[in-house]
Amino acid sequence: MKVGDIANVELEKLHGLSISVGWPHRAEDWQMLLEIGEGIAAQDEIGRVVATAMWFPLGANFATVGMVITSPRLQAHGAGRWIMNNVLARVGSRSLGLNATRAARRLYLSLGFAPARLVYQCQGDAVMPASALLPAGATLRNIEHSDLARLVALDRSAYGTDRSALMARLLDVSKGVALLREGRIQAFALCRPFGRGHVVGPVVAATDDDAIAVTGPHVAEHVGQFLRLDTRQETGPFPEFVARSGLPVYDTVTSMWLGRPWAVASEQDTGMLPVTYALASQAFG
């Protein structure tokens, strides 16, 4: 096998690999990931893509890892460890975060990653959520591109790392709802096409009520359609609302870190600071 820059590999080959392992990514989803991140791909002697891995730098000292895929015929032969060793050799001294499937968790533990928190993948055909009162003093409106700076600031406070470039790209392909008090955005939720339908995320808010308020309009807009939301919130009003909206927990992955701790602190005990109620993506958190 030979390893090269993933940017030099035909999109249809990358898409074919993710299809072969049952991942929902469309060619368009791959294209956005390629625009945001870096990566490597391994090809066999006749040019078939048999393994991929990507990383998404967030500043000089941190990156998330995602799209780690190995061909089913190579999964029992150490391909996952081999491709991850190639990644670790390329990312330098950066601390890393990733979301590990059950099948890959043991591999990442053996590479020194530490488990942090579960991510609950909630999905299904959306149903109209029960009407909820808008939080006190709050109004809702659609997000505009001129809101980017405020969204970046809220996301930075919740996520712990500046994701300006990622947020700008997400805003290009998403519809957004913002919650305002006294004219200032205090919570938001984005929703974009992904996989079998649409995905809601990121959702950033300081309280469950605010998170529900900005997520509800996306659910209502996609009633009867496939919708997905990934959250680290295990209990409380927000995950209960997600379940009532026709999005039960379908699967879980484990957030893990190497170097600087990532996704470790409780996201429900922040003293009214914004937190991430729904991930932007399992690839970059």
Side-chain angles (χ1 to χ4, degrees):
M1 291 188 293
K2 63 176 182 179
V3 178
D5 189 334
I6 199 169
N8 297 327
V9 178
E10 294 92 333
L11 185 63
E12 61 193 38
K13 291 185 177 181
L14 300 173
H15 187 214
L17 179 63
S18 59
I19 289 175
S20 74
V21 296
W23 286 24
H25 298 71
R26 307 166 302 154
E28 296 90 337
D29 301 324
W30 267 106
Q31 183 60 51
M32 191 179 82
L33 291 166
L34 293 170
E35 294 170 5
I36 295 171
E38 305 172 38
I40 53 177
Q43 295 178 272
D44 64 14
E45 62 279 359
I46 60 173
R48 293 177 297 187
V49 176
V50 295
T52 61
M54 295 191 69
W55 57 96
F56 304 90
L58 300 170
N61 300 314
F62 180 70
T64 59
V65 175
M67 304 309 290
V68 181
I69 308 174
T70 56
S71 170
R73 62 192 176 91
L74 296 179
Q75 288 176 359
H77 301 285
R81 177 177 297 276
W82 177 76
I83 199 75
M84 276 302 300
N85 281 334
N86 274 271
V87 169
L88 295 176
R90 286 167 166 79
V91 297
S93 60
R94 282 189 173 96
S95 296
L96 300 175
L98 56 79
N99 291 306
T101 63
R102 291 189 184 93
R105 189 175 185 272
R106 181 176 297 180
L107 166 65
Y108 295 127
L109 287 171
S110 73
L111 291 170
F113 284 82
R117 302 182 64 194
L118 285 179
V119 175
Y120 300 89
Q121 179 182 324
C122 306
Q123 64 183 49
D125 293 335
V127 299
M128 183 64 74
S131 59
L133 295 176
L134 197 61
T139 60
L140 298 179
R141 68 162 171 82
N142 291 334
I143 285 172
E144 303 171 352
H145 273 83
S146 59
D147 296 321
L148 177 61
R150 178 57 179 163
L151 303 187
V152 167
L154 285 169
D155 182 73
R156 183 190 306 116
S157 180
Y159 193 86
T161 300
D162 188 285
R163 301 197 293 177
S164 301
L166 171 61
M167 291 299 297
R169 186 67 184 92
L170 289 174
L171 204 54
D172 285 340
V173 297
S174 303
K175 294 184 68 173
V177 175
L179 181 146
L180 293 82
R181 289 188 177 87
E182 298 181 351
R184 185 171 176 81
I185 296 176
Q186 295 191 344
F188 71 89
L190 302 183
C191 181
R192 69 185 188 278
F194 174 81
R196 295 169 53 190
H198 285 73
V199 62
V200 179
V203 175
V204 174
T207 68
D208 282 53
D209 287 347
D210 284 4
I212 291 168
V214 292
T215 302
H218 293 306
V219 176
E221 183 174 350
H222 296 96
V223 167
Q225 303 174 36
F226 184 85
L227 197 60
R228 172 172 166 175
L229 183 150
D230 297 337
T231 181
R232 295 191 184 99
Q233 307 294 324
E234 180 181 7
T235 60
F238 182 75
E240 291 169 4
F241 164 82
V242 172
R244 292 197 308 271
S245 299
L247 313 182
V249 175
Y250 171 78
D251 200 1
T252 61
V253 296
T254 303
S255 292
M256 306 184 73
W257 53 273
L258 181 68
R260 177 173 68 85
W262 178 65
V264 173
S266 170
E267 292 174 345
Q268 291 180 315
D269 184 19
T270 60
M272 298 297 288
L273 293 175
V275 298
T276 303
Y277 275 84
L279 280 60
S281 162
Q282 286 192 14
F284 34 75

